[in-house]
């Protein structure tokens, strides 16, 4: 489902998956959307028409998708229960006989064609891939997996450039692009902040009293927001430098599995197991529906 980021108004619905959708991503220019689902597929959508451009078939549940930071990107990374990091070239095709395939342009033989793909680091993963982030350097791609590891991959050599072991199960792993790039990771009762440009370089780890299911950093404001896990349904705002809790917001009735700032940094959104997405104002002046 696509909604207006300021008002929350419904824009459109992408129809086609036959299982739970675990993750969705927009391209940098918002012309494309990608979704990862429990129906063993990832899909790429045209955000203006709602048309499904590609259906990428996998052997198991797809948990994560990522575009590089480019206008109208031609590649997509996927990962999930296959324990494989795969890169799909959306500009090329290979013949597939799957009835669930897309794009829907048949070749000269009348068969549908799927984008080519290749695997990065065969056999490396022992846990499901939960999140994929493309670095500002498009040669570097970052993954978070159920083996409690963050990995930075160099796509040129297809080797691991850096690895970091977390002290708990990973929640979210997202790149803050509001100012200096910073990778924010939640795991256990900690929030981790890594350099967005230097693979594996930890800037800070903040311990909290509560489980951190999700985290997002506003580097310009020197604040970060966390979403509570099982048994803790509150949203908390912290000072990045002093690590002190500044605000607590109530309203969700289930774990908060996702939190993200808007591109202008003036509001953030939280997504919860209670079936709701909430928008929270993060500026003093009037904004959108807030006066």
């Amino acid at each position: 489902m696509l909604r207006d980021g300021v008002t929350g108004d419904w824009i459109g619905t992408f129809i086609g998956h036959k299982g739970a959708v675990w993750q969705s991503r927009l391209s940098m220019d918002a012309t494309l959307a990608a979704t990862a689902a429990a129906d063993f597929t990832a899909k790429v959508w045209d955000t203006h028409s709602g048309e499904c451009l590609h259906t990428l078939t996998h052997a198991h549940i797809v948990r994560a998708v990522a575009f590089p930071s480019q206008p109208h990107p031609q590649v997509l990374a996927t990962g999930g229960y296959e324990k494989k990091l795969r890169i799909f070239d959306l500009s090329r095709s290979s013949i597939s006989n799957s009835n669930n395939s897309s794009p829907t342009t048949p070749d000269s033989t009348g068969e549908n064609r799927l984008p080519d793909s290749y695997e990065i680091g065969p056999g490396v993963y022992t846990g499901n891939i939960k999140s994929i982030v493309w670095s500002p350097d498009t040669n570097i791609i970052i993954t978070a997996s159920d083996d409690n590891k963050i990995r930075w991959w160099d796509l040129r050599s297809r080797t691991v450039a850096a690895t970091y072991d977390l002290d708990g199960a990973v929640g979210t792993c997202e790149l803050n692009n509001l100012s200096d790039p910073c990778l924010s990771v939640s795991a256990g009762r900690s929030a981790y902040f890594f350099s967005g440009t230097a693979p594996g370089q930890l800037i800070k780890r903040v311990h909290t009293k509560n489980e951190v299911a999700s985290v997002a950093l506003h580097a310009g404001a020197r604040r970060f927001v966390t979403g509570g896990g099982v048994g803790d349904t509150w949203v908390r705002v912290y000072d990045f430098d002093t690590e002190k809790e500044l605000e607590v917001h109530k309203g969700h009735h289930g774990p908060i599995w996702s939190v993200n700032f808007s591109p202008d940094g003036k509001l953030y959104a939280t997504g919860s197991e209670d079936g709701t997405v909430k928008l929270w104002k993060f500026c003093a002046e009037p904004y959108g529906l807030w006066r």
Side-chain angles (χ1 to χ4, degrees):
M1 187 178 294
L2 188 65
R3 291 183 177 271
D4 186 286
V6 176
T7 65
D9 290 342
W10 174 84
I11 296 174
T13 301
F14 302 115
I15 299 175
H17 279 301
K18 298 178 181 178
V21 177
W22 284 103
Q23 192 176 68
S24 60
R25 299 280 194 186
L26 284 174
S27 62
M28 185 179 73
D29 57 4
T31 59
L32 297 176
T35 51
D39 61 7
F40 294 17
T41 70
K43 290 181 182 287
V44 180
W45 311 82
D46 184 309
T47 57
H48 297 287
S49 67
E51 177 188 1
C52 179
L53 303 177
H54 302 283
T55 297
L56 312 175
T57 305
H58 294 66
H60 214 312
I61 292 170
V62 187
R63 284 292 306 267
V65 288
F67 287 117
S69 298
Q70 301 169 340
H72 205 78
Q74 294 300 305
V75 291
L76 180 75
T78 69
Y81 284 28
E82 281 184 324
K83 302 180 178 66
K84 295 179 180 180
L85 173 61
R86 298 169 67 181
I87 308 293
F88 286 85
D89 186 342
L90 305 180
S91 66
R92 301 178 60 188
S93 296
S94 60
I95 295 174
S96 170
N97 293 317
S98 170
N99 292 330
N100 296 323
S101 303
S102 200
T104 49
T105 311
D107 70 352
S108 58
T109 67
E111 295 176 288
N112 288 338
R113 299 174 71 86
L114 278 174
D116 289 338
S117 71
Y118 60 90
E119 184 182 354
I120 301 294
V124 168
Y125 289 96
T126 59
N128 303 326
I129 298 173
K130 295 186 69 175
S131 186
I132 304 172
V133 176
W134 222 300
S135 168
D137 176 356
T138 54
N139 292 311
I140 302 295
I141 198 165
I142 307 159
T143 64
S145 50
D146 278 343
D147 54 10
N148 298 351
K149 293 181 184 292
I150 307 294
R151 292 180 175 90
W152 287 258
W153 291 93
D154 189 320
L155 297 182
R156 294 161 295 193
S157 61
R158 302 189 187 184
T159 58
V160 177
T163 302
Y164 189 93
D165 293 315
L166 303 169
D167 286 341
V170 66
T172 58
C173 175
E174 298 290 343
L175 189 69
N176 155 61
N177 284 314
L178 295 177
S179 52
D180 294 333
C182 180
L183 185 74
S184 305
V185 179
S186 63
R189 295 190 175 188
S190 295
Y192 299 78
F193 302 96
F194 298 89
S195 168
T197 55
Q201 182 180 322
L202 180 67
I203 298 172
K204 174 176 278 196
R205 176 185 178 183
V206 179
H207 298 274
T208 72
K209 296 181 293 183
N210 306 284
E211 180 184 352
V212 182
S214 54
V215 62
L217 172 68
H218 192 307
R222 311 294 293 178
R223 301 284 189 273
F224 67 92
V225 180
T226 66
V230 176
D232 174 28
T233 60
W234 294 355
V235 178
R236 292 178 168 86
V237 180
Y238 292 86
D239 185 290
F240 181 78
D241 297 308
T242 66
E243 305 179 10
K244 291 183 178 180
E245 183 182 288
L246 303 177
E247 302 173 19
V248 177
H249 300 292
K250 305 175 183 179
H252 282 299
H253 301 285
I256 301 161
W257 298 122
S258 181
V259 56
N260 260 305
F261 279 95
S262 60
D264 61 10
K266 294 186 177 181
L267 72 144
Y268 59 89
T270 53
S272 170
E273 196 172 298
D274 64 13
T276 66
V277 174
K278 295 185 183 294
L279 302 179
W280 310 82
K281 190 162 76 80
F282 198 72
C283 59
E285 68 272 17
Y287 186 86
L289 299 176
W290 291 274
R291 293 293 182 262

